[in-house]
Amino acid sequence: MNPSRTFVMAKNVFQEVIRDRILYIIGFYAIILAVGNRAIFEFAATTQDKIFLDFGLAGMNIIGLIVVVFIGTALVNKEIEKRTILMLIAKPISRSEFITSKYLGLSGVLAVLIAAMTAIYLVFLQLGKIPYPTTTILIAVLFLFLQLTLISAVAITLGVFTSSLIATPLTFAVYLMGNITQDLVALGHLSQNPGVERITQGLYLILPNLSRLDLKNDAVYGLQAIPDPVTLIGNATYGLLYSFMLLAITIFIFLRREF
């Protein structure tokens, strides 16, 4: 794999997605915060600070997830449907470089979106004079980015496996189930059914444990302290390794596809 060629292709993916008016989403996020702030003040004046803190992070999460799922599942399929994949793989570009560049390009778009939405979020907090723990909020946002890049890898993997129409709901399903993997195991134990327990254990082992990358409630409500640095590094490493594993599987499958 040629790193410089991969990054050039990733830059092209980044520019292509940006040209698709993806940055309008940043303005949409600002409007949501403005409307949400007004509504929260009207209906929950006594607890508006905590609710708005949660609302801002949740909105960032949902918008990032929608962008990642709908774009990620179509990145490879779009090239196949338009037959541009034939020209790309005919050039001195390996299929591993092709998949890696798609992932890096989408991650770059995601980084810009998260950074811009975080800046807007902090401006609203300052203007509303809402007290917030700066360090923990920024750590939560960083782990939100890691979580969404992992979902990017899921979306690209499923996009290579099947059509975008099927890959989109499957990616949403992986996200939802990845946030409740520990609850699935507990549900299996409660069922006292060996078959159900094996299924839930299997899902726990296969699905990404996205709760390890979710620090929103800890940052906003302080239900428990932000994990210590060793745990944070371990969780971040888990997310990155899971993403790399998915990309390796995707490349392996893509190498064997005929066009």
Side-chain angles (χ1 to χ4, degrees):
M1 184 184 294
N2 187 317
S4 61
R5 193 162 54 205
T6 301
F7 281 111
V8 168
M9 292 173 62
K11 180 182 176 183
N12 291 335
V13 173
F14 176 84
Q15 292 173 337
E16 179 185 352
V17 175
I18 293 296
R19 279 199 301 269
D20 287 341
R21 300 182 179 180
I22 202 69
L23 292 181
Y24 282 111
I25 294 173
I26 296 172
F28 179 65
Y29 177 70
I31 293 172
I32 287 177
L33 286 187
V35 173
N37 187 36
R38 183 66 179 176
I40 291 168
F41 179 78
E42 292 290 337
F43 298 106
T46 57
T47 58
Q48 65 170 348
D49 290 357
K50 292 292 185 184
I51 294 176
F52 185 76
L53 281 168
D54 194 13
F55 178 78
L57 288 174
M60 202 182 302
N61 192 352
I62 293 170
I63 289 174
L65 177 65
I66 291 171
V67 169
V68 161
V69 172
F70 282 98
I71 293 178
T73 53
L75 275 178
V76 176
N77 274 318
K78 184 170 63 176
E79 303 285 4
I80 296 173
E81 290 168 2
K82 292 181 178 179
R83 312 303 292 175
T84 51
I85 187 69
L86 298 175
M87 294 183 291
L88 288 170
I89 62 177
K91 296 178 180 180
I93 298 171
S94 70
R95 297 193 181 196
S96 59
E97 290 172 347
F98 177 79
I99 294 296
T100 304
S101 66
K102 294 292 185 183
Y103 173 74
L104 293 177
L106 182 54
S107 297
V109 172
L110 187 58
V112 170
L113 282 175
I114 294 295
M117 287 191 291
T118 301
I120 293 170
Y121 178 55
L122 295 178
V123 167
F124 270 90
L125 294 179
Q126 290 288 344
L127 292 176
K129 297 181 179 179
I130 298 173
Y132 61 94
T134 307
T135 302
T136 52
I137 290 291
L138 293 178
I139 291 174
V141 168
L142 175 61
F143 273 76
L144 170 61
F145 171 73
L146 291 175
Q147 185 186 87
L148 292 176
T149 54
L150 194 160
I151 295 299
S152 298
V154 172
I156 293 171
T157 301
L158 292 174
V160 169
F161 264 111
T162 184
S163 67
S164 301
L165 191 62
I166 299 174
T168 298
L170 284 178
T171 306
F172 277 118
V174 170
Y175 174 81
L176 293 174
M177 295 183 71
N179 277 289
I180 59 169
T181 50
Q182 295 176 343
D183 295 330
L184 286 174
V185 174
L187 182 64
H189 289 313
L190 288 173
S191 71
Q192 296 184 343
N193 185 314
V196 173
E197 284 194 57
R198 283 194 293 270
I199 292 172
T200 54
Q201 285 286 352
L203 289 173
Y204 178 76
L205 294 173
I206 294 170
L207 292 170
N209 185 358
L210 297 178
S211 62
R212 295 181 64 174
L213 304 174
D214 186 358
L215 302 178
K216 294 190 296 296
N217 287 337
D218 301 335
V220 173
Y221 297 104
L223 298 178
Q224 58 186 22
I226 288 289
D228 60 89
V230 174
T231 303
L232 288 175
I233 292 171
N235 290 345
T237 302
Y238 166 81
L240 292 172
L241 289 177
Y242 202 104
S243 298
F244 295 155
M245 180 194 70
L246 285 174
L247 290 176
I249 293 171
T250 306
I251 291 169
F252 179 80
I253 296 168
F254 197 62
L255 285 170
R256 281 152 182 76
R257 285 197 64 171
E258 297 293 335
F259 302 103

